[in-house]
Amino acid sequence: MMRNALVVATSLIATAAVAQTVPTPTPLPNPHPKTTSVFDIPQRGVTFITGDTWVQNGQTIRLYGVQSCIRRTAFTNQAGRKTDCGEASLAYLAALARDTKPTCTALAQTGTPPVILAICAAHVGANTLDLGTILTTEGFGFAALAATGKAVYQPYLIAELTAKKEKRGLWAAPDFPHPHAIMSNALTTRQNPLK
């Protein structure tokens, strides 16, 4: 049943990737139509940049539809200490990659230099779970928003709202800096510098 859910989720995400607005990712060229771009996150030789992005084999990979906490923003942890929110997201992703040995599927390429947008399947015991769902459900990742302000992938928003309601992960902090609020404020300031 989990495998069927993952197949359905993969199909939905792939469909959404093509329909995404600004910037529109370029579907990956596939010189072998019968194969797909499937790869593992290696246990060595990977550099985590944020809680949703890493570099492996010289290629930058980003989880499709996921937004991590922004680095150099602070929250108060359970011990009462100010902690870097982005570092907490990054550490959680790195731990998941180590413990669940995800297999990823490249969906599209965007930007210069190119970034590969991917979804990843994490292996937890006998189950296969979507890595983005784990991050958002556990409160260390958030639903990425399109330029329209809507979630790029709706199930991640539902998982995020569940984590918020249950105060999981970063949502447990009384002063949690939600990345969308920070980005929205930065955009407003850039558009209206006198305000």
Side-chain angles (χ1 to χ4, degrees):
M1 185 163 148
M2 281 301 242
R3 179 164 281 176
N4 290 342
L6 184 60
V7 170
V8 170
T10 302
S11 298
L12 291 173
I13 291 172
T15 302
V18 175
Q20 189 177 12
T21 56
V22 183
T24 302
T26 305
L28 292 172
N30 190 349
H32 309 287
K34 294 182 181 179
T35 64
T36 58
S37 299
V38 176
F39 57 93
D40 294 330
I41 299 177
Q43 293 295 297
R44 296 175 189 222
V46 63
T47 303
F48 291 92
I49 307 300
T50 67
D52 59 33
T53 305
W54 65 95
V55 175
Q56 67 182 65
N57 301 322
Q59 178 62 61
T60 303
I61 313 290
R62 180 170 180 161
L63 282 175
Y64 175 78
V66 177
Q67 171 65 53
S68 67
C69 207
I70 298 174
R71 293 178 86 170
R72 291 181 292 287
T73 60
F75 73 100
T76 305
N77 67 17
Q78 291 180 341
R81 292 191 186 114
K82 286 288 187 185
T83 304
D84 186 301
C85 195
E87 290 292 328
S89 280
L90 184 150
Y92 196 79
L93 174 62
L96 280 175
R98 179 195 65 226
D99 294 345
T100 67
K101 299 174 179 53
T103 300
C104 303
T105 302
L107 299 176
Q109 177 177 301
T110 188
T112 305
V115 173
I116 300 297
L117 299 175
I119 57 168
C120 300
H123 311 289
V124 181
N127 298 313
T128 301
L129 305 171
D130 176 69
L131 186 61
T133 300
I134 295 171
L135 288 167
T136 52
T137 300
E138 294 302 316
F140 287 93
F142 312 94
L145 300 181
T148 61
K150 293 183 179 180
V152 171
Y153 184 57
Q154 192 69 23
Y156 291 163
L157 179 60
I158 294 166
E160 177 184 334
L161 294 173
T162 300
K164 178 181 180 180
K165 180 180 177 184
E166 297 177 5
K167 296 188 186 282
R168 291 186 192 152
L170 297 169
W171 290 105
D175 56 351
F176 159 62
H178 196 289
H180 298 308
I182 293 167
M183 291 186 287
S184 178
N185 288 342
L187 181 62
T188 300
T189 301
R190 191 169 55 209
Q191 290 174 345
N192 303 309
L194 299 178
K195 288 188 177 184

